Amino acid sequence: MIEQPYTAMTQTSANTDINDRLTNDTAITETIAAEVSSAAESLPHPILAEVNDRCFISEEHLKRYTEPSQLPTDTRTADDLDVGFGQQRAIKALRTALDINASGYHVFAAGENGLGKRTIITRLLQRIASDAPTPDDWVYVHNFTDPRKPLALRLHTGQGLLLKQQVNTLWQQASKRLNQRFRSDHYQSKIEAINNTSQQQESQAYDALNAEGKAYDLTLSFRPYDNKAVFVHPSQLATSTDSSAADNAMTAESVTEQSYESKLDNFVQKNHMQKRLSQLTITLEQLEDEANASIETLHRDIAQRALEPLFIPIYEQFSAQPLVIDYLKTMLADMITHVERIVNADDEKFVAAVLGATPSRYTVNVMVSHQPDEGVPVIFENLPTHLNLLGHVEQVTQSGTVITDVSMIRAGALHRANGGYLLLEASQVLEHPYAWQGLKRALQTRKIKLSSLEQILALTGSLSLEPSPIELDIKVILLGEADLYYELLELEPEFDAVFKIRADFHDDVIRTSEHELALVAKMADIIDYADLCPFDSEAQATLLEHLSLQAEDQNRLSLHSDRLIKLLHESNRHARLQDQEIVTASHVIQAIADMDERSGYLRDLYWQELKNGQQLINTDGGAVGQVNALTVVSYADSEFGMPARLTALIQPNIGTGDILDIERDVELGGSLHAKGMLIMTSYLRALFSQHHALNFSASLAFEQSYAHIDGDSATVSEACALLSALANVPINQAFAITGSMNQLGEVQAVGGINAKIAGFFDACREQSLTGQQGVVIPMANVKHLMLRDDIIEAVAAGQFYVYGVNTLSEALTLMTGLPIDTMNKKGRYRKDTLFGKVLQRLMLWDENQANANADDLEDKKSKKKKAAKKKAKNKKKPKQKPEDRAADLGKKNHGKAENDKSHMHSEQPHATADNTSA
């Protein structure tokens, strides 16, 4: 009896404890479930962790380093340079052109400026030219038959200057010898004998005629005032021959004394003798001509005897060249013919020129001359004008008259390179008027024909020389960029017929140990040529890494010689400033930093705006329809990366999925940018149009961008911004993204990847690194990464991240933290995916539009009902019969009476007053 209550009481207590415990356990369970649920909500989606692990790029893939121990100790021990290193394709094309001796096999060397095309080609040609036979010499000489057309003579190698020298010496000796011969006593006696003979013959002729006149009583006399021979009567001879008055008086007196008959006889006789005197004058002129002819014959005999011995040695020297012998013989004949002018020196044509040793008539103008065994010429013309290419004829002005001669013909680059190789910058040839036309004509005709450019430009017919053309045997190499080559092919129909060989020069080369050593040999060659300090192995390694950065590829090395030369000189400067005799890696790094600083003025302006808050960039938090796009700014020699805010705005229930590209509409977007937009638009249409109508329109723009934008590297960022706005899902602003995209959603490589990453990293560092920031780039660009060491250190420390993606879905997962396009069994996007949220919003907009349309329809119906009621109310009532109208009137009056009674009861005083009055 005692245990039972106890037992009952104990049991009751136990039940109470159990209930309490159960209540507590339930609360704990609910608390744990709530915490688990909250933790589940705060944890990232499992697919994000998967994509993060798959796309993360570790620090060892961000840059490829060169091992200094595999390089020479310094550049003094480097291997010899291979001239054609990295340009085997171009060298092969050059050799093909050089081996074919046919018309049109000239070369266009295509490649970027700064690759060292000219240096490589020149060195190669010089090696080939040194073993080739030296071409002939060419000279221009006076054409004695047609002075307007000077003759071109082809001479054996080295004989052009020899002929000029021999002719100069010949002229000096000839003029001296002729002066001696024509001033000698023997010459004077010969001339005196000829003159005496002529005078004697003349006297004899006069004496004979005078004797004949005496038979007619006439005497031959010479008038004193003009020494003219006349016949007169002996009585008419005056005692004083110099008094004309006495002659007149004597004549008058004699006339009066003579009879008329005697005067008539005397006139006839005198007339007869005057005719005989005229005949004698003709005879005397013939005698004078014979004397002059005798003198000329004497002169020519003397000149021939004096000059022929001088020409004989020259004949022997050039006996193997008939054209030269013919010219010398013609020259000898001309000197003999004009010996008097040469001796008297009274004609400018036979006087030595001011700047020459011989008269221009006998000048040998050497156009091109070579030394034996010097090989063929290799010429680079840095000013390829029409005159400098094809030569020209100079002119001088004397006393207001423009004159020219064979000595004023000047050679052009084609003359100097004839028989060898000529290098020209294609762009410079096209810059100068008529230079390309003249070059093309010469190569097609294989002759150098000088023409007056003044006549072509002025369209005048001024007289000038027309030198005979020179045979042309040459290989021309045009240097230019590939774009210029294609323009010439399109615009110049005959270009391909003249330049049949294209030699392509590469910008870079595969990065192998062999090629690294070859580039070190190139550095050593430049260092030796410029007399710079040697570079140690670490400096060489730093240079090679920088060349990979210039090539934007871990596995390639840039071949740009200009950049390398600049870097070598500036590194050498830092070494000399520190009084060091060898260049180290620190000097190279300092030189790179200096070059970067010099070209970073625009970049500094941008960062200044970023610091001041003028450029709006968020590097943390989230935002809907907003993404940090990676861009590259290029201006002249300045190039740097910078993030740009890209925003998307959605207008629901308007349009059919149309996307407005604001950059393109304001003409700030290029054709490639427009292409990327269209690809992205077609991709989005393909994604959702099969599931739901695209009942929206959108607009995309780069905020605070006022310059021209081109390229398709923003396609992925534009897709991310647009899908974020469609799904109303925020994008992580700690990330920046770049990448091109195709219509299948695959992410493609872009350019300038290193500068883009550096630009966003600098922006994050400026706003403080949070350990959550990073970039999303195409996976295809990972092999192009040659990042700065400070960026790699930040990645290694977990302060910055680099992700590589292959598809747009991976990029969106990283940017939003959501699954993107997983589907259920029905083939629809799951609701928790980004694409599912997009479809939900599309359907929601559709429902809202349907509801809005239904409300509008209901409003319209109610309005119609009200209008119908109002219309029915306003209709006229039907006509009543007279009795009905009377009954109604009675009812109306009865009702009025009742109303009046009630009114009277309610207003008694007034009613009384009213009744009294009534």
Side-chain angles (χ1 to χ4, degrees):
M1 293 297 294
I2 297 174
E3 291 182 359
Q4 186 174 358
Y6 175 79
T7 304
M9 188 171 57
T10 303
Q11 183 67 34
T12 303
S13 176
N15 291 336
T16 302
D17 292 340
I18 290 172
N19 291 332
D20 291 342
R21 284 200 300 272
L22 289 174
T23 302
N24 293 335
D25 290 343
T26 302
I28 292 171
T29 302
E30 292 177 352
T31 303
I32 293 173
E35 292 177 354
V36 169
S37 177
S38 176
E41 292 179 357
S42 62
L43 288 175
H45 197 282
I47 196 170
L48 175 61
E50 179 187 345
V51 173
N52 184 83
D53 292 340
R54 183 169 69 247
C55 298
F56 176 72
I57 308 300
S58 58
E59 61 271 16
E60 60 266 16
H61 296 99
L62 302 182
K63 185 176 182 180
R64 177 178 172 179
Y65 292 91
T66 297
E67 181 57 46
S69 61
Q70 303 298 321
L71 302 175
T73 307
D74 60 56
T75 51
R76 290 172 295 189
T77 60
D79 298 334
D80 294 335
L81 173 65
D82 179 11
V83 175
F85 162 67
Q87 306 295 351
Q88 285 75 16
R89 184 194 301 271
I91 299 301
K92 185 177 180 180
L94 276 171
R95 292 189 180 277
T96 300
L98 299 181
D99 291 341
I100 300 176
N101 187 20
S103 178
Y105 276 87
H106 304 283
V107 183
F108 189 98
E112 289 187 9
N113 292 331
L115 284 176
K117 302 187 294 294
R118 193 179 84 189
T119 302
I120 294 173
I121 294 174
T122 301
R123 290 191 175 186
L124 175 66
L125 294 180
Q126 286 175 345
R127 291 184 179 181
I128 298 174
S130 60
D131 298 330
T134 308
D136 293 335
D137 295 354
W138 285 92
V139 299
Y140 271 115
V141 295
H142 181 75
N143 187 346
F144 298 103
T145 303
D146 188 355
R148 286 193 64 245
K149 298 181 178 180
L151 299 175
L153 297 181
R154 185 171 190 169
L155 291 87
H156 295 161
T157 304
Q159 291 193 342
L161 290 175
L162 177 62
L163 178 62
K164 180 182 179 68
Q165 180 183 359
Q166 292 293 345
V167 170
N168 290 344
T169 304
L170 173 66
W171 167 255
Q172 299 296 333
Q173 294 176 350
S175 58
K176 182 178 179 181
R177 180 172 293 188
L178 289 175
N179 282 317
Q180 289 176 351
R181 295 293 175 87
F182 280 83
R183 285 175 175 79
S184 64
D185 295 338
H186 177 71
Y187 169 75
Q188 296 298 331
S189 62
K190 288 285 187 181
I191 293 295
E192 186 176 354
I194 294 173
N195 291 333
N196 291 336
T197 301
S198 176
Q199 292 175 2
Q200 185 178 1
Q201 291 176 349
E202 182 178 355
S203 299
Q204 291 175 356
Y206 275 121
D207 291 342
L209 188 60
N210 189 29
E212 185 179 350
K214 288 180 179 180
Y216 299 102
D217 198 15
L218 293 173
T219 301
L220 185 64
S221 176
F222 293 89
R223 290 188 304 201
Y225 56 88
D226 60 359
N227 200 31
K228 183 178 181 181
V230 294
F231 280 98
V232 298
H233 195 273
S235 61
Q236 294 176 344
L237 294 176
T239 57
S240 179
T241 57
D242 57 347
S243 176
S244 59
D247 291 341
N248 294 335
M250 179 190 67
T251 303
E253 183 179 357
S254 60
V255 169
T256 58
E257 293 178 353
Q258 292 178 356
S259 64
Y260 175 76
E261 291 79 2
S262 61
K263 286 191 294 181
L264 183 60
D265 293 338
N266 183 263
F267 175 78
V268 175
Q269 295 168 358
K270 186 176 181 180
N271 189 32
H272 172 72
M273 293 308 298
Q274 284 297 129
K275 289 182 179 180
R276 293 283 295 135
L277 181 60
S278 298
Q279 294 175 356
L280 177 63
T281 302
I282 297 174
T283 303
L284 292 177
E285 289 176 355
Q286 293 177 351
L287 290 175
E288 185 178 359
D289 292 339
E290 291 176 359
N292 291 333
S294 299
I295 293 174
E296 288 182 3
T297 303
L298 174 63
H299 288 171
R300 292 179 181 180
D301 291 342
I302 294 174
Q304 187 168 5
R305 289 196 300 270
L307 296 177
E308 274 191 346
L310 300 178
F311 277 83
I312 291 175
I314 306 179
Y315 291 157
E316 294 176 354
Q317 281 185 313
F318 297 94
S319 58
Q321 301 179 74
L323 292 178
V324 178
I325 299 299
D326 292 342
Y327 163 70
L328 291 173
K329 289 181 177 180
T330 308
M331 178 181 174
L332 173 61
D334 186 78
M335 293 177 71
I336 292 173
T337 302
H338 301 94
V339 63
E340 296 92 345
R341 297 184 182 182
I342 295 174
V343 174
N344 295 332
D346 56 357
D347 192 336
E348 293 181 355
K349 297 180 180 179
F350 299 93
V351 178
V354 177
L355 300 178
T358 61
S360 58
R361 191 179 187 86
Y362 304 123
T363 297
V364 176
N365 188 355
V366 180
M367 300 300 289
V368 59
S369 181
H370 306 282
Q371 295 296 327
D373 301 327
E374 71 174 6
V376 299
V378 179
I379 303 296
F380 173 75
E381 177 56 53
N382 57 3
L383 186 62
T385 63
H386 182 276
L387 302 182
N388 291 346
L389 280 177
L390 286 93
H392 61 285
V393 180
E394 293 179 341
Q395 296 176 341
V396 296
T397 303
Q398 292 183 357
S399 302
T401 303
V402 178
I403 61 173
T404 186
D405 55 55
V406 68
S407 64
M408 298 182 188
I409 302 175
R410 297 292 174 257
L414 289 174
H415 295 92
R416 299 192 302 272
N418 196 6
Y421 311 104
L422 176 62
L423 281 71
L424 300 170
E425 287 286 350
S427 59
Q428 295 179 4
V429 174
L430 297 174
E431 286 175 359
H432 297 94
Y434 299 96
W436 166 250
Q437 289 82 352
L439 176 64
K440 181 179 69 172
R441 182 188 64 192
L443 296 181
Q444 288 176 332
T445 61
R446 306 187 78 171
K447 290 182 179 181
I448 310 174
K449 181 176 177 58
L450 279 75
S451 59
S452 175
L453 187 60
E454 291 80 4
Q455 292 181 356
I456 297 175
L457 296 177
L459 300 176
T460 62
S462 58
L463 186 62
S464 182
L465 297 181
E466 295 183 8
S468 58
I470 291 177
E471 296 179 6
L472 180 62
D473 180 18
I474 197 173
K475 290 291 183 181
V476 176
I477 297 95
L478 284 182
L479 309 174
E481 296 190 352
D483 292 343
L484 181 58
Y485 175 79
Y486 293 124
E487 290 180 8
L488 287 171
L489 278 180
E490 181 179 357
L491 301 176
E492 174 54 69
E494 297 176 327
F495 178 76
D496 191 34
V498 179
F499 289 87
K500 295 182 178 180
I501 300 295
R502 171 181 169 179
D504 285 310
F505 281 77
H506 299 291
D507 301 338
D508 48 38
V509 68
I510 298 175
R511 186 175 179 180
T512 63
S513 300
E514 179 184 357
H515 288 169
E516 286 183 341
L517 293 175
L519 265 174
V520 171
K522 182 177 181 179
M523 297 177 196
D525 181 75
I526 297 171
I527 291 168
D528 183 63
Y529 178 81
D531 194 22
L532 305 180
C533 296
F535 283 58
D536 66 14
S537 58
E538 293 185 355
Q540 299 166 26
T542 306
L543 286 168
L544 292 172
E545 293 164 6
H546 184 72
L547 292 179
S548 275
L549 174 61
Q550 294 296 323
E552 291 194 348
D553 196 327
Q554 294 180 354
N555 301 317
R556 303 197 73 84
L557 294 166
S558 174
L559 294 175
H560 277 265
S561 297
D562 284 356
R563 298 173 186 170
L564 179 60
I565 293 172
K566 184 191 298 184
L567 191 53
L568 290 173
H569 278 277
E570 297 196 24
S571 302
N572 177 77
R573 169 181 173 268
H574 285 289
R576 293 191 182 278
L577 289 176
Q578 298 178 10
D579 295 329
Q580 296 187 13
E581 297 182 354
I582 193 165
V583 181
T584 63
S586 62
H587 301 140
V588 177
I589 293 172
Q590 184 61 47
I592 295 173
D594 290 349
M595 295 167 65
D596 186 59
E597 181 183 5
R598 287 198 303 272
S599 62
Y601 175 70
L602 293 178
R603 179 188 57 206
D604 293 343
L605 291 179
Y606 171 77
W607 292 123
Q608 187 176 359
E609 292 180 354
L610 188 65
K611 292 178 183 178
N612 298 335
Q614 293 174 291
Q615 285 284 345
L616 302 179
I617 294 294
N618 293 336
T619 58
D620 58 2
V624 175
Q626 177 177 300
V627 65
N628 293 325
L630 296 177
T631 64
V632 170
V633 177
S634 297
Y635 180 76
D637 62 340
S638 178
E639 181 177 292
F640 60 93
M642 57 175 282
R645 176 177 289 180
L646 176 65
T647 58
L649 187 63
I650 302 297
Q651 296 86 32
N653 303 325
I654 299 175
T656 56
D658 301 322
I659 300 176
L660 172 64
D661 182 8
I662 295 179
E663 307 297 334
R664 180 179 56 186
D665 281 14
V666 298
E667 297 182 356
L668 286 178
S671 57
L672 295 180
H673 177 261
K675 178 182 178 182
M677 280 290 301
L678 294 175
I679 289 175
M680 186 265 293
T681 302
S682 64
Y683 173 73
L684 292 181
R685 288 181 183 276
L687 279 178
F688 302 113
S689 60
Q690 59 181 332
H691 300 287
H692 196 278
L694 303 181
N695 52 354
F696 70 92
S697 63
S699 60
L700 285 166
F702 282 92
E703 306 296 343
Q704 295 182 284
S705 173
Y706 312 105
H708 188 78
I709 296 175
D710 203 1
D712 61 347
S713 62
T715 310
V716 174
S717 56
E718 289 167 341
C720 290
L722 184 61
L723 289 169
S724 168
L726 284 173
N728 197 27
V729 172
I731 285 181
N732 189 356
Q733 299 298 296
F735 286 116
I737 188 170
T738 184
S740 172
M741 187 180 75
N742 61 22
Q743 293 189 107
L744 303 177
E746 298 171 339
V747 179
Q748 303 169 146
V750 295
I753 192 67
N754 295 288
K756 292 177 178 179
I757 295 175
F760 186 68
F761 175 80
D762 292 338
C764 294
R765 186 170 56 183
E766 185 64 34
Q767 298 183 358
S768 74
L769 291 172
T770 62
Q772 304 297 324
Q773 294 140 338
V775 293
V776 179
I777 65 172
M779 187 66 77
N781 278 122
V782 173
K783 64 181 181 180
H784 302 147
L785 295 178
M786 289 294 294
L787 298 180
R788 299 193 320 238
D789 290 340
D790 57 340
I791 301 177
I792 297 175
E793 292 171 2
V795 172
Q799 294 295 310
F800 195 76
Y801 301 92
V802 179
Y803 295 97
V805 295
N806 291 302
T807 63
L808 177 62
S809 298
E810 291 179 342
L812 287 168
T813 299
L814 292 170
M815 301 294 285
T816 63
L818 295 177
I820 305 303
D821 54 2
T822 55
M823 294 186 175
N824 55 24
K825 295 180 180 180
K826 296 181 179 181
R828 294 182 174 273
Y829 296 118
R830 296 184 181 275
K831 294 182 179 180
D832 61 341
T833 64
L834 183 71
F835 290 174
K837 293 180 181 296
V838 171
L839 287 177
Q840 289 177 24
R841 293 199 76 198
L842 293 177
M843 289 185 289
L844 177 62
W845 293 336
D846 204 4
E847 292 175 2
N848 292 339
Q849 184 66 32
N851 294 334
N853 293 337
D855 292 341
D856 292 342
L857 184 61
E858 189 67 28
D859 292 342
K860 289 180 180 179
K861 288 181 179 180
S862 62
K863 287 180 180 180
K864 287 182 179 180
K865 288 180 179 179
K866 289 181 180 180
K869 288 180 180 180
K870 187 175 181 180
K871 186 176 181 181
K873 189 176 181 180
N874 292 334
K875 284 182 179 180
K876 290 183 178 181
K877 296 181 179 180
K879 291 183 178 181
Q880 295 179 332
K881 295 180 179 179
E883 57 273 17
D884 293 336
R885 210 167 33 247
D888 289 340
L889 182 59
K891 290 180 180 180
K892 189 175 182 181
N893 291 333
H894 178 73
K896 184 178 180 183
E898 292 296 327
N899 288 336
D900 290 342
K901 284 183 179 181
S902 63
H903 188 69
M904 290 173 64
H905 286 299
S906 62
E907 296 183 2
Q908 186 75 27
H910 296 284
T912 302
D914 290 341
N915 291 332
T916 301
S917 175

